[in-house]
Amino acid sequence: SAGPCLALTTSLSNGGESIAIEWPDQEGWKVGYEQDNGSQAILETVISPETVENWTQIGTVLVTRGDVESTANFDLDVLVDALVKRAQTNARDVQIEKEKEGLPGIEASRIFVIKAKDYPDGTSETQVQLLVKGKKSVFNIQRTKRTADLDQETIRAWVAFLKTARLTAQEDKV
């Protein structure tokens, strides 16, 4: 596990394609949960000493694995709308802000912010999310804080953080 002076880099892959992001080392991020069932993998990070059961901030990296055909036909805007609808189903008040651009140089990417107030358990949260469509997978990285009122300066910093994610693809060898 990463100590306070080591950066935590998380990476998930599919068929030579991977996405990686380096969590700010001065914040003390650690891996709290990992699961891979083949078609989907998830990795959750929390700030020490928090846990995935009890957090004020959580980072999530998710890959949904497909194939070239299914991924080519996948619409990122439909997924953004579905994630907003899910929040609206569960929270009393939901606001969405879509960024003008996603990951630099990758057209098939979206960055957006969901502010959700009053979930049934009484919590609220702000999620800053990145979606990236690769050749065979859809990747999602999100950073979430338990407040619906995250300030714009922090949101801007988190958007800048998400833009440091790196999508890499190794060409298939024949």
Side-chain angles (χ1 to χ4, degrees):
S1 73
C5 59
L6 297 173
L8 173 66
T9 301
T10 55
S11 176
L12 288 175
S13 64
N14 177 36
E17 237 177 3
S18 67
I19 197 155
I21 194 159
E22 194 170 292
W23 299 87
D25 53 343
Q26 67 276 17
E27 296 175 12
W29 289 92
K30 65 178 184 181
V31 173
Y33 176 79
E34 284 182 87
Q35 184 184 7
D36 190 333
N37 68 12
S39 63
Q40 206 170 51
I42 186 169
L43 194 149
E44 292 179 320
T45 60
V46 290
I47 296 175
S48 235
E50 295 182 349
T51 66
V52 292
E53 293 81 26
N54 184 17
W55 54 270
T56 57
Q57 266 195 71
I58 192 166
T60 307
V61 184
L62 181 72
V63 58
T64 303
R65 299 182 179 106
D67 54 38
V68 173
E69 187 179 347
S70 66
T71 303
N73 293 323
F74 193 88
D75 187 330
L76 284 181
D77 294 314
V78 170
L79 179 56
V80 171
D81 291 343
L83 291 167
V84 171
K85 278 193 179 75
R86 187 172 73 189
Q88 288 169 333
T89 301
N90 295 314
R92 190 177 52 80
D93 178 20
V94 175
Q95 295 174 352
I96 173 94
E97 290 172 38
K98 295 180 183 178
E99 294 294 311
K100 287 179 185 60
E101 64 170 22
L103 208 54
I106 300 181
E107 194 177 317
S109 64
R110 305 285 182 275
I111 294 178
F112 58 100
V113 180
I114 296 176
K115 292 182 174 186
K117 271 192 181 134
D118 295 333
Y119 282 104
D121 65 0
T123 61
S124 298
E125 61 187 38
T126 300
Q127 308 166 2
V128 183
Q129 295 201 40
L130 165 68
L131 292 175
V132 181
K133 183 165 92 166
K135 284 191 171 78
K136 297 179 184 176
S137 304
V138 176
F139 299 95
N140 178 328
I141 300 176
Q142 58 181 296
R143 189 164 172 178
T144 304
K145 188 169 176 109
R146 282 232 198 264
T147 176
D149 303 313
L150 194 62
D151 61 279
Q152 281 302 313
E153 186 179 341
T154 302
I155 289 172
R156 301 269 57 85
W158 287 13
V159 166
F161 160 71
L162 289 178
K163 287 184 177 184
T164 67
R166 297 172 314 282
L167 180 69
T168 56
Q170 296 169 333
E171 291 306 314
D172 293 337
K173 308 274 189 287
V174 179

